[in-house]
Amino acid sequence: MPSFQTARPIAAASAPLALRFEHVRAQTVQLVKPLSAEDCQLQSMPDASPAKWHLAHLTWFFETFVLERFEPDFKPFDAGFRVLFNSYYNGVGDKYPRPQRGLISRPSLDEVLAYRAQVDARVQDVVSRAGDADHAELAQLIRLGLQHEQQHQELLLSDIQHALSFNPQRPAYARRWPLASTAPQPVRWHGYDGGLVAHGFDAALDGAFAFDNETPRHPAYVAPFELASRLVTNGEMIEFMADGGYQRPELWLSMGWDWVQAGQRQLPLYWQEDDAGNYRHFTLQGLQDVDPNTPACHLSYFEADALARWAGARLPTEFEWELAARRLPASSATSGNFVETGAYHPLPQQHASLASPAQMFGDVWEWTQSNYNPYPGYQPWEGLVGEYNGKFMCNQFVLRGGSCATQQSHIRASYRNFFPPDAQWQFSGVRLARDVQG
């Protein structure tokens, strides 16, 4: 039985679990409502997946890990889907090549939605019929599946933005611009003494669920440091570019400079410059003017690191970030700009941050300088779902805090996102840190 981190078993609570399942599954379908069937077929690069594939894979997850385990006389909706919509679970069996997911024209979008509807009904039936002996494991698997679904909800949005960006008509996924009034906010520095701190998931602080990579909680030493009061803005990105940021090798890691040169990069992803020197960028709200006071977004780790070095600072470690996040007011994790706002884009800081850093939850995932490594004593989950996180602990960096495409209920201070250093298409940005000089 997989040892997921949960606050309590599901016994006598199948109704709340069923409602949660229904709600999260409906959110995913709602996200594709603005898209055509043709939009849902697009795959713009190997790292992205078609919206239709996301819809099917998320259903495959519940069919494979819940129905196969708990449904009497289980029969698959379509036996071929076991291969088509497996992502990276080698223990489950064969997989269709990831770079070719856009070539899966059949099943159709309507058939995939019918697949979702049937599996949803069957999962609900299993939940309603489960005996006491099965409740705990069933609840753990469904909670994992729903957290997994919320991860893919964000991926669906970032993937469709990347796909639509290649259309010369610059189609908008949503239309709600301008999003907020903007005003410049000065950078202030908040100091932290550091010391030996408890780090990682704590159910009393973080809620009922954690992925295995957030555990175990352990002591970590943090030297005194300072953290910027706000995120790096588009205006500062423009200053970086005006100062030759993409042409100065001394600002870049060696691999980062190779990345700049190989791609002949001069601008962040989705940006374009007109003859008059004005900048526009493609967003889920279509092609829009770059607002200098809005947090910079879609930056790779290489860009984040170079930008920090140019600013005379550095990226925080994930230990520093979590220490600071734990000291925020309780409302900070629920009042940020998450997908529920419908902005689908970072928002400018509205008020000065005098007492603590602003926008640490929502808006953009914040790159840290921490390699995505296991915590001391880390153990992956048992069984097939043990492939979920641990196998990716190589050549990736940790991001913290969630974004404008993250579900608010999905994020917590201990949450560890991770991507390779060249990844740009995620909603990723920068918060600066610096050492305290003794």
Side-chain angles (χ1 to χ4, degrees), residues 10 12-21 124 127-128 135:
I10 192 64
S14 60
L17 181 66
L19 290 173
R20 174 74 174 151
F21 178 82
Q124 294 284 32
V127 171
S128 68
H135 265 306

Side-chain angles (χ1 to χ4, degrees), residues 21 24-26 28-29 51-68 74-78 81-82 84-87 89 107 109-123 141 145-146 148-150 152:
F21 178 82
V24 173
R25 295 285 286 169
T28 310
V29 174
K52 185 178 75 175
W53 187 91
H54 285 294
L55 290 167
H57 166 70
L58 293 167
T59 306
W60 169 94
F61 189 97
F62 285 106
E63 184 180 50
T64 302
F65 294 116
V66 174
L67 295 184
E68 285 193 20
F74 167 81
K75 291 183 180 179
F77 179 91
D78 185 315
F81 288 6
R82 189 177 178 87
L84 280 183
F85 302 121
N86 182 2
S87 56
Y89 294 88
L109 178 60
D110 286 344
E111 289 172 307
V112 166
L113 292 172
Y115 175 41
R116 285 182 67 89
Q118 191 205 84
V119 168
D120 285 358
R122 292 163 63 187
V123 170
L141 286 168
L146 295 178
H148 170 252
E149 182 125 2
Q150 289 182 313
H152 276 266

Side-chain angles (χ1 to χ4, degrees), residues 189-194 197-199 222-223 225-229 316-330 332-333 355-361 366 368 400-401 413-414 431-433:
W189 292 92
H190 297 279
Y192 300 87
D193 293 335
V197 298
H199 182 83
V222 178
F225 70 100
E226 293 180 323
L227 201 63
S229 60
T317 68
E318 66 167 314
F319 306 100
E320 292 169 337
W321 190 97
E322 185 173 316
L323 186 157
R326 298 256 185 233
R327 298 188 181 179
L328 293 173
S332 297
S356 57
Q359 295 179 292
M360 289 193 70
F361 292 97
E366 300 177 26
T368 75
R400 292 299 197 111
S414 61
R431 185 183 302 273
L432 301 177

Side-chain angles (χ1 to χ4, degrees), residues 221-242:
Y221 176 74
V222 178
F225 70 100
E226 293 180 323
L227 201 63
S229 60
R230 62 162 172 79
L231 299 162
V232 170
T233 64
N234 289 325
E236 287 158 334
M237 193 70 204
I238 292 171
E239 292 178 26
F240 169 79
M241 294 188 293

Side-chain angles (χ1 to χ4, degrees), residues 109-174:
L109 178 60
D110 286 344
E111 289 172 307
V112 166
L113 292 172
Y115 175 41
R116 285 182 67 89
Q118 191 205 84
V119 168
D120 285 358
R122 292 163 63 187
V123 170
Q124 294 284 32
D125 185 63
V126 165
V127 171
S128 68
R129 294 172 179 270
D132 292 341
D134 289 333
H135 265 306
E137 185 179 1
L138 175 62
Q140 289 171 338
L141 286 168
I142 290 179
R143 287 190 182 113
L144 171 61
L146 295 178
Q147 294 280 328
H148 170 252
E149 182 125 2
Q150 289 182 313
Q151 288 180 317
H152 276 266
Q153 289 170 352
E154 180 159 356
L155 288 171
L156 190 156
L157 288 172
S158 59
D159 290 356
I160 198 62
Q161 179 177 354
H162 193 265
L164 293 177
S165 73
F166 289 91
N167 188 321
Q169 293 185 310
R170 302 294 192 267
Y173 170 84

Side-chain angles (χ1 to χ4, degrees), residues 32 47 175 333 336 371 373 420:
V32 301
D47 285 340
R175 294 190 180 277
N371 290 297
N373 290 328

